Amino acid sequence: MKLKHRVNILIFYILRIFPVQKNKIVVSNFGGRGYGCNCRYITDEILKRDANNSLDIVWLTEGNVDNLPQRLRKVPYDSFRAMYELATAHVWIDNIRKPPFVRKRKNQFYVMTWHAGIGFKKSEKDSIQSLRKSYIYAAKNDSKMADLFLADSDWHYNVYRNAFWYEHEIAKCGLPRMDVIFRDDPLLKKNIREKLGIPDNVKCVMYAPTFRAQNDESSIGVYNLDWDKVINALQSKTGDTWIGLLRLHPNASHLCERLNIPSNVRDMTSYPDMQELLLISDCFITDYSSAIFDYSVKGKMAFMFALDLEDYIKDRDLYFAFSELPYSFSKSSDELAENIRLFSEKEYAIKIDEFFHKRCGLYEGGHASEYVADRIMKVIES
């Protein structure tokens, strides 16, 4: 164990001289990367219940977060102050593993929302051969501390039980970030499009590839998409005008400036909330990102496209065979364009229903944020 790690553990124990503050909640999203994912939607619901502003809600952040509500108190993620806030908060909310030196106290409550539901890539214990020993240690420590995990389906529940070193409560409530997808609020969609300057008569296709183990400039090629072919195919299929939205995974965001992005495609990699982009998109394309499940659960048109399938499977085993999935898979831009032209909405709807409800046992209903916020308020008021 490294000296810095030992020192940080010691700091957490020393900080126990300060009492836990019953009204304090500390939230962290992707290690400080913006106001989004499950953490955002739980926090939004908690704020609705806190009419008297009696709660001290701390948001751990790596830098400026443009869409952070003023009611929240910003604290740098990797700081001594953050350690103090964690040591004295009544409730923690997170969507990735906490650093391995973090130590929870008995009278604290930890909601681990995770950042994916139904997914392609095997994770945690199921992909243990690809994990660093330091990560495995952190994951086990994090699961030991957690009081509540959130599942979106029977499939998801079983993955938690089998692969996350976790033995405590799992709420079969759905994922808070999915509430906005299920509610499908026309006014919210209009407001987001206006904020981004997208005209009402223009449709959006989002391309959101995930990251690779070789996450440097040598992997640039796998993120390339022939936007002209895709947009032309969509326009031919629908008769509408289309623009593209590019969203790289946070772990690959540094590669954006190296990609050739056409003028009719917008780089949305730094946009803080993926769910808002999913909500306004009319078509979704990915390689192996679980975001396709978030996007398509209501039956919206989605496609899979990747240039490196064999290499990717060697590096990262998948939970599903592609034959089980409701999406066509393309290994070239020409094949993708052809699959767009051949897309059958009726056949797709049947496949979507079979996959989510019969194969996975979906729990989603648009009320997960309310469920989790109610649980947290009960903990605070107890």
Side-chain angles (χ1 to χ4, degrees):
M1 191 182 294
K2 293 182 179 180
L3 178 60
K4 183 179 179 180
H5 179 78
R6 292 177 181 274
V7 169
N8 285 334
I9 291 176
L10 179 61
I11 289 171
F12 264 92
Y13 281 107
I14 292 174
L15 288 171
R16 294 185 180 211
I17 63 173
F18 298 100
V20 169
Q21 297 171 31
K22 214 174 176 188
N23 68 330
K24 184 191 289 188
I25 301 171
V26 174
V27 193
S28 177
N29 172 50
F30 286 114
R33 293 177 182 171
Y35 191 62
C37 200
N38 295 310
C39 300
R40 171 198 173 157
Y41 291 97
I42 294 170
T43 302
D44 284 346
E45 279 297 323
I46 291 172
L47 288 173
K48 290 178 185 178
R49 288 156 173 72
D50 187 32
N52 297 323
N53 295 341
S54 60
L55 297 177
D56 178 20
I57 305 177
V58 178
W59 193 275
L60 303 183
T61 174
E62 281 189 328
N64 293 327
V65 182
D66 294 335
N67 63 334
L68 195 71
Q70 291 185 346
R71 272 275 288 106
L72 307 189
R73 185 159 57 87
K74 290 191 295 186
V75 170
Y77 176 80
D78 190 15
S79 66
F80 176 79
R81 183 74 194 188
M83 296 171 75
Y84 168 79
E85 303 293 356
L86 284 168
T88 56
H90 194 180
V91 175
W92 298 349
I93 306 171
D94 209 331
N95 66 351
I96 62 171
R97 298 302 197 178
K98 289 197 175 297
F101 54 79
V102 174
R103 293 295 184 271
K104 194 188 77 165
R105 299 161 76 169
K106 287 183 179 179
N107 51 346
Q108 294 180 307
F109 189 79
Y110 178 19
V111 180
M112 162 45 74
T113 75
W114 198 235
H115 53 275
I118 299 169
F120 295 116
K121 299 167 287 187
K122 289 189 176 180
S123 55
E124 303 294 286
K125 194 190 300 184
D126 287 339
S127 62
I128 198 168
Q129 71 282 353
S130 64
L131 300 179
R132 301 185 308 274
K133 288 183 179 180
S134 59
Y135 180 85
I136 295 170
Y137 175 85
K140 290 180 177 179
N141 180 61
D142 188 77
S143 283
K144 184 178 178 180
M145 293 190 297
D147 297 289
L148 181 67
F149 268 63
L150 313 178
D152 69 354
S153 60
D154 289 335
W155 182 93
H156 196 198
Y157 182 97
N158 291 332
V159 169
Y160 280 151
R161 279 288 179 244
N162 297 327
F164 275 66
W165 297 283
Y166 182 70
E167 299 176 354
H168 305 299
E169 183 182 358
I170 301 172
K172 297 180 178 182
C173 62
L175 299 181
R177 71 179 189 208
M178 290 301 295
D179 293 348
V180 70
I181 302 297
F182 269 77
R183 291 169 186 170
D184 197 22
D185 183 351
L187 180 59
L188 176 58
K189 291 199 302 196
K190 180 178 175 61
N191 290 339
I192 296 168
R193 289 174 67 94
E194 287 180 352
K195 179 171 60 175
L196 296 175
I198 300 172
D200 291 340
N201 63 339
V202 172
K203 295 203 169 196
C204 301
V205 51
M206 179 157 66
Y207 175 46
T210 192
F211 70 100
R212 303 302 194 273
Q214 191 71 19
N215 198 24
D216 54 29
E217 291 191 15
S218 67
S219 65
I220 281 286
V222 300
Y223 299 113
N224 283 323
L225 176 70
D226 192 325
W227 285 100
D228 286 340
K229 287 182 180 178
V230 168
I231 289 176
N232 287 338
L234 286 166
Q235 291 182 166
S236 174
K237 177 74 175 178
T238 66
D240 297 302
T241 300
W242 289 76
I243 64 168
L245 306 177
L246 172 64
R247 173 80 172 195
L248 293 188
H249 189 281
N251 291 348
S253 59
H254 61 287
L255 298 175
C256 246
E257 60 187 27
R258 306 291 297 170
L259 293 174
N260 182 22
I261 304 175
S263 59
N264 60 344
V265 176
R266 303 189 183 189
D267 178 12
M268 293 285 106
T269 299
S270 61
Y271 192 81
D273 190 355
M274 176 69 157
Q275 301 308 105
E276 291 189 354
L277 298 178
L278 295 177
L279 186 65
I280 66 166
S281 293
D282 303 284
C283 178
F284 185 83
I285 301 169
T286 189
D287 42 21
Y288 320 104
S289 171
S290 62
I292 196 171
F293 298 118
D294 285 17
Y295 175 81
S296 65
V297 69
K298 296 277 285 182
K300 293 169 74 176
M301 179 169 54
F303 302 90
M304 295 185 66
F305 161 76
L307 303 172
D308 63 340
L309 176 60
E310 290 76 17
D311 290 339
Y312 191 85
I313 291 177
K314 287 178 185 177
D315 175 66
R316 194 79 176 264
D317 286 342
L318 305 180
Y319 280 118
F320 297 103
F322 289 106
S323 59
E324 295 181 85
L325 301 172
Y327 323 105
S328 63
F329 187 93
S330 307
K331 293 184 179 181
S332 70
S333 293
D334 286 334
E335 189 178 2
L336 174 58
E338 183 65 13
N339 281 328
I340 290 171
R341 294 188 184 97
L342 295 174
F343 179 79
S344 168
E345 188 172 341
K346 184 177 180 180
E347 292 177 8
Y348 181 70
I350 294 171
K351 290 179 181 179
I352 286 289
D353 182 70
E354 288 179 348
F355 178 77
F356 283 106
H357 296 285
K358 296 179 182 178
R359 172 69 174 83
C360 296
L362 193 71
Y363 304 148
E364 299 289 4
H367 301 286
S369 303
E370 298 167 15
Y371 173 86
V372 180
D374 286 343
R375 284 291 305 274
I376 289 172
M377 295 304 292
K378 286 179 182 177
V379 168
I380 288 173
E381 293 164 5
S382 63

